[in-house]
Structure formats: structure tokens, C-alpha cells
Amino acid sequence: PEDSAVDVTFRMASTDAERADVLRLRDAVYVQDQERLADAADTASTFDRFDGLAQYIVGYRGGEAVGTIKVVPDSPLGLPCDDTVDLTQMRPGNRLVEFGHLMTLPTVRSQNIGMALMREALVHSVRFHRATHILGDFFVDDSGGLRDFYRDIGFVALHEPYRDVRFQGAPLSLVAALDTADAARRARAEEHRGNRLLQFFFGDYDSYAAHPKGATHAHPTPATR
């Protein structure tokens, strides 16, 4: 599935220009294309309050930013999805990371760039944060459930669908969690060798999980909030 993204390079947004690219993508997707935000800065008091600890991975094609994903490691500040779901039972003994703001320009949709961004975020989360669980706040499908894409990887919904008032005219949302070690075990099992999505994300899990980089928490994961 990664073939369509071979000409895309990925890097962390660390410069002013790269951070400006993130805002341009947000304006192009959430404001201009989907009309779910009135302004790209509308998330300053919600999602962006975690930006002191979060990382944005940006995909570039020919020098143009074409997609991004936000990686938020758990900390004493908690996670964006704490506003929706109680993670008290999940936190002890685990390391949580939430993905958010996965978006690609309308002109590059259906080219697997979003999937490649999610893969980059997964590898980064396991290597740098030793993530045991990935969380996401996803829009539901037409049936009101978690989309097949996420279920095929192994995400499990943590609550009933809800209306996210931060986005105008959006579908209902669901917070879901993925157990990375369990997904890796399933990827190794013979009956799941044909699951291309699972193999794309977790087929080489042992390789990237065995070589963590800077895998320490500046803020220990809290047991409770």
C-alpha cells in the first residue's frame, strides 16, 4: 500500500517554515475543503494546548507540504481524548500516545499518503515513546461505527459515538485504542498474513521496536488524572 507514497519524504516540523506548513495544511483541509473550522487557529485552546509536547510529522512532495499527522505523548497534561473518555484503567503500566489531525491535501487523496503518515507516526511513537497503545478520535463511517480501515489494523472503540462540537458539520466521532504488542502478535500469526494493512503497519514491528531512540519520558505517564 505504500507504493503511491514513494516520492513523499517525511520530517518532523521543527522550523518556523515547517510549522507554517502545518497551519497551511489545516487551512486547506479543515477550513477551505471541508469547512469544519472557520479559521485554522480555531484549535488554539483545544487540540493545540498540547503542542508543547506534541510533534507534527509532515509529508513533502516536490518541496510542497501535502499532508501531516500530530503525535501527542501522554504526560501530566493528559491527552486530547481525555475530554471524551476515561483512560484511568488504561494508564497504569502502559505508555499512551494519541494521533490527531491526520490530513492530506485534496489533490493527493487516495494515494496512500495518509496511510504512510500514520505508519511514520506509529514507528516514531514506538521508537521514541515506547508506546504500548495508540489512541485516536476518529469520524465514524456511514453505519455509525469505526471505519473498516481502523478495525482491520486493530483499533477498538472505547465508547459510544458522540458529536464533536469542535468541528462544524462533521460526522459523529469515536475514540478508539490500538494495543501495539497485540497488533504485532496478530501480524505474525499465519491467519493474518493476508491482512495487508496489518502487515504494512506491524509486519516489521520487531525491527523498529527493538531499536528505540531517545526513548525516555520527560514527564512520566500518570497513573491517574
Side-chain angles (χ1 to χ4, degrees):
E2 69 271 27
D3 291 348
S4 298
V6 292
D7 60 342
V8 178
T9 58
F10 302 95
R11 59 178 182 262
M12 291 291 171
S14 59
T15 68
D16 288 344
E18 290 163 346
R19 286 187 283 268
D21 285 337
V22 171
L23 287 177
R24 277 194 289 273
L25 285 164
R26 189 184 297 178
D27 179 74
V29 176
Y30 283 163
V31 180
Q32 305 301 326
D33 179 46
Q34 299 177 350
E35 298 182 345
R36 290 177 179 165
L37 293 177
D39 187 273
D42 279 358
T43 56
S45 63
T46 54
F47 300 114
D48 296 350
R49 72 182 189 272
F50 299 93
D51 278 5
L53 294 170
Q55 299 96 28
Y56 287 90
I57 299 173
V58 184
Y60 289 89
R61 172 182 280 170
E64 179 189 16
V66 294
T68 186
I69 188 171
K70 184 176 185 174
V71 177
V72 186
D74 202 7
S75 76
L77 289 178
L79 293 169
C81 67
D82 276 306
D83 292 342
T84 304
V85 65
D86 184 358
L87 301 175
T88 303
Q89 299 301 314
M90 184 178 291
R91 281 193 163 100
N94 293 315
R95 293 177 182 269
L96 314 184
V97 175
E98 183 172 347
F99 292 174
H101 291 189
L102 172 59
M103 64 186 79
T104 57
L105 291 177
T107 53
V108 300
R109 301 263 167 83
S110 302
Q111 296 180 30
N112 293 322
I113 294 174
M115 187 157 56
L117 278 162
M118 193 169 172
R119 153 85 186 189
E120 292 287 324
L122 171 67
V123 173
H124 174 78
S125 298
V126 171
R127 279 184 170 169
F128 284 84
H129 302 299
R130 298 194 178 180
T132 63
H133 292 77
I134 303 298
L135 293 105
D137 197 345
F138 306 114
F139 293 128
V140 302
D141 62 15
D142 292 338
S143 69
L146 202 59
R147 296 178 186 273
D148 289 344
F149 174 87
Y150 297 111
R151 288 193 287 105
D152 286 348
I153 300 169
F155 278 94
V156 177
L158 299 181
H159 63 108
E160 294 299 315
Y162 79 103
R163 178 73 61 190
D164 190 340
V165 297
R166 294 168 292 194
F167 292 106
Q168 304 169 10
L172 295 176
S173 296
L174 270 176
V175 175
L178 170 68
D179 182 324
T180 57
D182 178 68
R185 283 192 294 270
R186 287 187 293 108
R188 289 190 291 266
E190 188 63 35
E191 63 265 31
H192 294 293
R193 292 295 172 85
N195 184 330
R196 295 177 69 239
L197 280 178
L198 192 63
Q199 296 303 323
F200 175 64
F201 287 103
F202 290 98
D204 60 340
Y205 174 85
D206 292 340
S207 175
Y208 59 79
H211 300 286
K213 298 179 179 180
T216 58
H217 275 294
H219 302 278
T221 300
T224 58
R225 289 188 67 252

